[in-house]
Amino acid sequence: MGTAASRDSGQPRYLQIAEDLAQQIRTGVLAPGTKVPSESELMARYSVSQGTARKAVAELRPTGLIDTHHGKGSFVKSQPPVRRKSSDRFRRSHRKAGKAAYLAESEQAGKTAGVTVLYVGPTEAPAEIAERLDVPAGTKVLARRRLYFSNGTPTEEATSYLPWDIAEEIPELLAENPGGGGIYARLEENGHMLKEFTETVRARLATKQETSALSLSPGSPVIHLVRNAESEDGRVVEVCDTVMAADQFVLDYRIPSGD
């Protein structure tokens, strides 16, 4: 294994080492699932102090290239990210085939998808959600909270909020498993034909709860995505608030260039 980190780049030594390790991961010298060299190994290999070695590994964590497990060390991530294509994931054909968006895109990526339902039931709409649904804050809505897995690894936590009057008229929405095609298929079957989806995306650091839920290393970034599903009559019939492990996804958007 090489030691390409140069002492002449002008960068702090720990950054040089972190870049060298990242390059080894990207080129396959450090293969997926391989343990990252320990602090003592880095100290010997790069002739640096323990503090410098520790900072080098810490610098790698937010990149999404490694996982750190307390007491076991750091390991190269073993799976590439899922590509979420905005132009494909909400196709009506997927719903008619009985596949919810997450299942369809996981299959396309060659991964095994899983979901754990954390809660289904009434809740008071948080302010941002209420604004999107065009109801007063605190209004009773249906919440559907799920934790999604890819090849057994938790990758995203999502909560869908739906107007209560719609939930009451579609009993399947209150079930843990709403049936093939997911809640969007049930909405359309009951006359709420979907016209468009609008997403707001931002990146931030994971909270302690998110770090635990998604099995992230401390200081890991997440993608916070909030989506409106609007029906043909102009009503927002669902808002989905999703937190995603940033290293597990690539968001692929198709944007028309019309007037």
Side-chain angles (χ1 to χ4, degrees):
M1 206 176 292
T3 57
S6 170
R7 297 178 184 276
D8 303 320
S9 68
Q11 285 185 318
R13 189 71 172 132
Y14 72 92
L15 287 179
Q16 297 171 21
I17 297 170
E19 287 187 5
D20 192 27
L21 292 173
Q23 181 67 11
Q24 292 175 34
I25 292 170
R26 294 188 180 105
T27 58
V29 174
L30 284 173
T34 301
K35 188 174 182 180
V36 175
S38 67
E39 290 178 6
S40 59
E41 290 172 321
L42 293 176
M43 290 166 62
R45 184 170 299 157
Y46 295 99
S47 301
V48 295
S49 67
Q50 183 179 26
T52 298
R54 182 171 300 163
K55 289 172 72 174
V57 175
E59 191 70 21
L60 275 181
R61 290 185 188 124
T63 67
L65 294 173
I66 66 171
D67 275 323
T68 299
H69 303 281
H70 183 67
K72 296 182 180 180
S74 297
F75 298 81
V76 179
K77 290 259 186 194
S78 60
Q79 55 181 346
V82 170
R83 184 174 295 274
R84 295 178 59 150
K85 296 184 178 181
S86 65
S87 59
D88 179 75
R89 73 184 317 259
F90 294 122
R91 286 185 184 275
R92 189 165 285 118
S93 59
H94 290 322
R95 298 194 286 279
K96 288 184 176 180
K99 296 178 181 179
Y102 189 85
L103 175 60
E105 66 193 8
S106 294
E107 286 186 354
Q108 291 170 0
K111 298 177 182 294
T112 301
V115 59
T116 296
V117 177
L118 304 175
Y119 175 77
V120 177
T123 193
E124 295 182 356
E128 180 186 354
I129 303 301
E131 182 179 357
R132 288 171 174 265
L133 290 173
D134 196 24
V135 298
T139 296
K140 181 181 179 182
V141 296
L142 172 65
R144 297 182 54 87
R145 185 167 166 239
R146 296 92 62 201
L147 182 63
Y148 291 95
F149 297 82
S150 178
N151 289 351
T153 299
T155 57
E156 69 175 78
E157 189 173 60
T159 304
S160 288
Y161 298 91
L162 299 99
W164 190 255
D165 63 298
I166 291 179
E168 284 186 311
E169 71 182 33
I170 308 175
E172 295 93 336
L173 297 180
L174 296 166
E176 282 197 9
N177 183 355
I183 62 174
Y184 292 155
R186 303 293 82 76
L187 286 168
E188 293 199 317
E189 289 170 356
N190 287 270
H192 302 283
M193 298 303 293
L194 299 172
K195 180 181 70 175
E196 67 177 14
F197 299 90
T198 304
E199 295 184 338
T200 302
V201 183
R202 65 189 178 99
R204 58 173 173 78
L205 297 182
T207 65
K208 287 184 178 180
Q209 183 275 328
E210 293 160 354
T211 297
S212 175
L214 299 177
S215 299
L216 301 173
S217 301
S220 293
V222 292
I223 299 169
H224 188 179
L225 184 152
V226 184
R227 179 178 62 252
N228 290 3
E230 184 177 329
S231 63
E232 290 182 345
D233 63 4
R235 184 181 185 186
V236 175
V237 294
E238 183 243 13
V239 175
C240 188
D241 190 336
T242 304
V243 175
M244 310 156 65
D247 64 299
Q248 295 290 336
F249 296 92
V250 173
L251 304 185
D252 190 336
Y253 289 97
R254 184 178 179 181
I255 302 172
S257 61
D259 294 334

